[in-house]
Amino acid sequence: MALIVGLESLGIPLPGEAVLIVASVYAATHDGNIAMVIGAATVGAIVGDNIGYMVGRKFGYSLVLKFGSYLGLTEGRVKLGQYLFQKYGGAVVFFGRFFAVLRFLAAFLAGVNQLAWPRFLVANALGGLVWASIVGISAYTFGRGIHELQGPVGAVAFVVAVGIVIAIFVYLRRHEAELQAQAEASLPGPLPGFERRD
């Protein structure tokens, strides 16, 4: 389970949360140890995210320089990403663990945007522990009944996640110029690599 959760955290599309739910239900119905299940999921999340962070920190920025223009990533937008991660990076990493898409993107983006590793580590470890505990204990408590709830709960969580992503996108689009001005004030001057492309 730790391996699957860790690989999902690296960006490989594996069902880490589903595996955690199944393992927790199995522990509930077979006198298993839920603490070991939560521990394995937490370790997998932390290790996988840290590898994703290191990959993003080492290679992500050069990938943005090389391919970012194809995705509309101007220097201003890259600087905006760095500014937002400086300001809210810990929250993004912590809460990203609870949303499927962010679960494997947050760590990589934290690395790309140079979030300080100690901040990342604390937010990542707390996020992994809280996520594994909430999902694991909930599944363990409901035991076999979790199968009846998983569909509706999953659907509601998906709708909420989509709603949050849309709200953030709309906010960023409406306030992009203002946020870019704040980012420029916080990070004045050209970003490394962009001055060579003009």
Side-chain angles (χ1 to χ4, degrees):
M1 184 185 60
L3 180 64
I4 291 173
V5 170
L7 290 173
E8 181 196 35
S9 300
L10 272 170
I12 298 171
L14 293 171
E17 191 166 70
V19 169
L20 173 56
I21 290 170
V22 169
S24 300
V25 170
Y26 185 84
T29 56
H30 292 83
D31 295 323
N33 187 334
I34 188 61
M36 290 187 71
V37 172
I38 291 170
T42 302
V43 168
I46 293 170
V47 171
D49 277 344
N50 272 275
I51 294 170
Y53 171 85
M54 294 300 178
V55 169
R57 194 168 180 99
K58 181 94 172 159
F59 304 108
Y61 191 74
S62 59
L63 289 173
V64 167
L65 286 175
K66 191 168 186 177
F67 302 109
S69 60
Y70 298 112
L71 302 172
L73 294 178
T74 62
E75 181 181 8
R77 287 185 173 158
V78 172
K79 191 175 283 193
L80 175 59
Q82 290 182 354
Y83 169 72
L84 291 174
F85 261 89
Q86 281 182 358
K87 201 164 183 182
Y88 307 109
V92 171
V93 171
F94 179 87
F95 290 108
R97 172 57 48 189
F98 294 88
F99 300 100
V101 174
L102 284 178
R103 192 173 302 135
F104 61 83
L105 279 179
F108 179 77
L109 291 175
V112 169
N113 289 296
Q114 306 296 304
L115 179 66
W117 184 73
R119 260 182 87 194
F120 170 80
L121 182 62
V122 170
N124 170 245
L126 289 175
L129 177 62
V130 171
W131 167 77
S133 298
I134 289 173
V135 173
I137 291 171
S138 298
Y140 186 83
T141 301
F142 288 113
R144 292 184 190 274
I146 195 71
H147 294 297
E148 298 169 11
L149 295 172
Q150 188 178 355
V153 170
V156 169
F158 177 76
V159 169
V160 169
V162 168
I164 290 171
V165 169
I166 290 172
I168 290 170
F169 177 77
V170 168
Y171 177 82
L172 290 176
R173 291 293 285 178
R174 288 186 178 167
H175 297 89
E176 184 175 7
E178 176 188 336
L179 289 169
Q180 282 188 358
Q182 291 174 13
E184 183 60 42
S186 178
L187 303 164
L191 290 173
F194 276 92
E195 67 271 15
R196 295 191 302 269
R197 301 175 63 199
D198 294 334

